[in-house]
Coordinates of all heavy atoms in Angstrom, one line a residue:
Chain A
H800 N 12.4 12.1 10.9 CA 13.2 12.2 12.1 C 14.3 13.3 11.9 O 14.4 13.8 10.8 CB 13.9 10.9 12.4 CG 13.0 9.9 13.1 ND1 13.4 8.6 13.5 CD2 11.7 10.0 13.4 CE1 12.4 8.0 14.1 NE2 11.4 8.8 14.0
G801 N 15.0 13.6 12.9 CA 16.2 14.5 12.8 C 15.7 15.9 13.1 O 14.6 16.2 13.5
T802 N 16.7 16.8 13.0 CA 16.5 18.2 13.3 C 16.0 19.0 12.1 O 16.6 19.0 11.0 CB 17.8 18.9 13.8 OG1 18.2 18.1 14.9 CG2 17.6 20.3 14.2
C803 N 14.8 19.7 12.3 CA 14.2 20.5 11.3 C 14.7 21.9 11.4 O 15.2 22.3 12.5 CB 12.7 20.5 11.5 SG 11.8 21.7 10.5
C804 N 14.5 22.7 10.4 CA 14.6 24.1 10.4 C 15.9 24.7 10.9 O 16.0 25.6 11.6 CB 13.4 24.7 11.3 SG 11.8 23.9 11.0
D805 N 17.0 24.0 10.5 CA 18.3 24.4 10.9 C 19.2 24.6 9.7 O 20.4 24.3 9.8 CB 18.9 23.4 11.9 CG 20.0 24.0 12.7 OD1 20.2 25.3 12.7 OD2 20.8 23.2 13.3
A806 N 18.6 24.9 8.6 CA 19.3 25.2 7.4 C 20.4 24.2 7.0 O 20.0 23.0 7.0 CB 19.9 26.6 7.5
A807 N 21.6 24.6 6.8 CA 22.6 23.7 6.3 C 22.9 22.6 7.4 O 23.5 21.6 7.1 CB 23.9 24.4 6.0
N808 N 22.5 22.8 8.6 CA 22.8 21.8 9.7 C 21.6 20.9 10.0 O 21.7 20.1 10.9 CB 23.2 22.6 11.0 CG 24.3 23.5 10.8 OD1 25.4 23.1 10.4 ND2 24.1 24.8 11.0
A809 N 20.5 21.1 9.2 CA 19.4 20.2 9.5 C 19.7 18.8 9.2 O 20.2 18.4 8.1 CB 18.2 20.7 8.6
T810 N 19.3 17.9 10.1 CA 19.5 16.5 9.9 C 18.2 15.7 9.6 O 18.2 14.5 9.7 CB 20.2 15.8 11.2 OG1 19.3 16.1 12.3 CG2 21.5 16.4 11.4
Y811 N 17.2 16.5 9.2 CA 15.9 15.9 8.9 C 16.1 14.7 7.9 O 16.9 14.8 7.0 CB 15.1 16.9 8.1 CG 13.7 17.3 8.7 CD1 13.4 17.0 10.0 CD2 12.8 17.8 7.9 CE1 12.2 17.3 10.5 CE2 11.5 18.1 8.4 CZ 11.2 17.9 9.7 OH 10.0 18.2 10.2
N812 N 15.5 13.6 8.2 CA 15.6 12.4 7.3 C 14.3 11.7 7.4 O 13.5 11.7 8.3 CB 16.7 11.5 7.8 CG 16.6 11.0 9.2 OD1 16.0 10.0 9.4 ND2 17.1 11.8 10.2
I813 N 14.0 11.0 6.3 CA 12.6 10.3 6.1 C 12.8 8.8 6.4 O 13.7 8.1 5.9 CB 12.1 10.5 4.7 CG1 11.8 12.0 4.5 CG2 10.8 9.7 4.5 CD1 11.4 12.3 3.1
I814 N 11.9 8.3 7.3 CA 12.0 7.0 7.8 C 10.6 6.3 7.6 O 9.6 6.9 7.2 CB 12.4 6.9 9.3 CG1 11.5 7.9 10.1 CG2 13.8 7.4 9.4 CD1 10.2 7.3 10.6
V815 N 10.6 4.9 7.8 CA 9.4 4.2 7.6 C 9.3 3.0 8.5 O 10.3 2.4 9.0 CB 9.3 3.7 6.1 CG1 10.4 2.6 5.8 CG2 7.9 3.1 5.8
G816 N 8.1 2.6 8.8 CA 7.7 1.3 9.4 C 6.5 0.8 8.7 O 5.9 1.5 7.9
R817 N 6.2 -0.5 8.9 CA 5.1 -1.0 8.1 C 4.3 -2.0 9.0 O 4.8 -2.5 10.0 CB 5.6 -1.8 6.9 CG 6.4 -3.0 7.1 CD 6.8 -3.7 5.8 NE 7.5 -5.0 6.1 CZ 8.0 -5.7 5.1 NH1 7.9 -5.4 3.9 NH2 8.5 -6.9 5.5
S818 N 3.0 -2.2 8.5 CA 2.1 -3.1 9.3 C 1.2 -3.7 8.4 O 0.9 -3.3 7.3 CB 1.3 -2.2 10.3 OG 0.3 -2.9 10.9
K819 N 0.6 -4.9 8.8 CA -0.4 -5.5 8.0 C -1.8 -4.9 8.2 O -2.7 -5.2 7.5 CB -0.5 -7.0 8.4 CG 0.7 -7.8 7.8 CD 0.5 -7.9 6.2 CE 1.5 -8.8 5.6 NZ 1.4 -8.9 4.1
N820 N -1.9 -4.1 9.3 CA -3.1 -3.4 9.6 C -2.9 -1.9 9.6 O -1.9 -1.4 10.1 CB -3.7 -3.8 10.9 CG -4.0 -5.3 10.9 OD1 -4.8 -5.8 10.1 ND2 -3.3 -6.0 11.8
V821 N -3.9 -1.1 9.1 CA -3.7 0.3 9.0 C -3.6 0.9 10.4 O -2.9 1.9 10.6 CB -4.8 1.0 8.3 CG1 -6.1 0.9 9.0 CG2 -4.5 2.4 7.9
T822 N -4.1 0.2 11.4 CA -4.0 0.7 12.8 C -2.8 0.3 13.5 O -2.6 0.6 14.7 CB -5.3 0.2 13.6 OG1 -5.3 -1.3 13.4 CG2 -6.5 0.8 13.1
G823 N -1.9 -0.4 12.8 CA -0.6 -0.8 13.4 C -0.7 -2.2 14.0 O -1.7 -2.9 13.9
P824 N 0.4 -2.7 14.7 CA 1.6 -1.9 15.0 C 2.5 -1.8 13.7 O 2.7 -2.7 13.0 CB 2.3 -2.8 16.0 CG 1.8 -4.2 15.7 CD 0.4 -4.1 15.2
Y825 N 3.1 -0.6 13.6 CA 4.1 -0.3 12.6 C 5.5 -0.6 13.1 O 5.9 -0.1 14.1 CB 4.0 1.1 12.1 CG 2.7 1.4 11.3 CD1 1.5 1.8 12.0 CD2 2.7 1.2 10.0 CE1 0.4 2.0 11.3 CE2 1.5 1.5 9.2 CZ 0.4 1.9 9.9 OH -0.8 2.1 9.2
V826 N 6.2 -1.6 12.4 CA 7.5 -2.0 12.9 C 8.5 -1.7 11.8 O 8.2 -1.7 10.6 CB 7.5 -3.4 13.3 CG1 6.5 -3.7 14.5 CG2 7.2 -4.4 12.2
D827 N 9.8 -1.6 12.2 CA 10.9 -1.4 11.3 C 11.4 -2.7 10.8 O 10.9 -3.8 11.2 CB 11.9 -0.5 11.8 CG 12.7 -1.0 13.0 OD1 12.5 -2.2 13.3 OD2 13.4 -0.3 13.6
N828 N 12.5 -2.7 10.1 CA 13.1 -3.9 9.6 C 13.8 -4.7 10.6 O 14.2 -5.9 10.4 CB 14.2 -3.6 8.5 CG 15.2 -2.6 9.0 OD1 14.9 -1.7 9.8 ND2 16.4 -2.7 8.5
M829 N 13.9 -4.2 11.8 CA 14.5 -4.9 13.0 C 13.3 -5.4 13.9 O 13.6 -6.0 15.0 CB 15.4 -4.1 13.8 CG 16.6 -3.6 13.0 SD 17.6 -4.9 12.3 CE 18.2 -5.7 13.8
G830 N 12.1 -5.2 13.5 CA 11.0 -5.6 14.3 C 10.6 -4.7 15.4 O 9.8 -5.0 16.3
R831 N 11.3 -3.5 15.4 CA 11.0 -2.5 16.5 C 9.7 -1.7 16.1 O 9.6 -1.2 15.0 CB 12.2 -1.6 16.7 CG 13.4 -2.2 17.3 CD 14.5 -1.2 17.5 NE 14.9 -0.6 16.2 CZ 15.9 0.3 16.1 NH1 16.5 0.7 17.1 NH2 16.2 0.8 14.9
D832 N 8.9 -1.6 17.1 CA 7.7 -0.8 17.0 C 8.0 0.7 16.8 O 8.9 1.2 17.6 CB 6.8 -1.1 18.2 CG 5.3 -0.6 18.0 OD1 5.1 0.4 17.3 OD2 4.4 -1.4 18.5
M833 N 7.3 1.3 16.0 CA 7.5 2.8 15.9 C 7.0 3.5 17.1 O 7.4 4.7 17.3 CB 6.8 3.4 14.6 CG 7.5 2.9 13.3 SD 6.7 3.6 11.8 CE 7.4 5.2 11.8
L834 N 6.3 2.9 17.9 CA 5.9 3.4 19.2 C 7.1 3.4 20.2 O 7.1 3.9 21.3 CB 4.7 2.7 19.8 CG 3.4 3.1 19.3 CD1 2.3 2.1 19.7 CD2 3.0 4.5 19.8
R835 N 8.2 2.7 19.8 CA 9.4 2.6 20.5 C 10.6 3.3 19.8 O 11.7 3.0 20.0 CB 9.7 1.2 21.0 CG 8.7 0.6 21.9 CD 9.1 -0.7 22.5 NE 8.1 -1.1 23.5 CZ 8.3 -2.1 24.3 NH1 9.4 -2.8 24.3 NH2 7.4 -2.4 25.2

Side-chain angles (χ1 to χ4, degrees):
Chain A
H800 278 182
T802 301
C803 169
C804 315
D805 198 16
N808 304 301
T810 57
Y811 237 23
N812 60 88
I813 297 174
I814 52 83
V815 68
R817 69 181 185 180
S818 173
K819 283 292 185 182
N820 298 300
V821 70
T822 53
Y825 288 90
V826 300
D827 67 9
N828 55 325
M829 300 302 294
R831 290 181 301 182
D832 196 320
M833 291 182 80
L834 281 166
R835 296 187 173 191

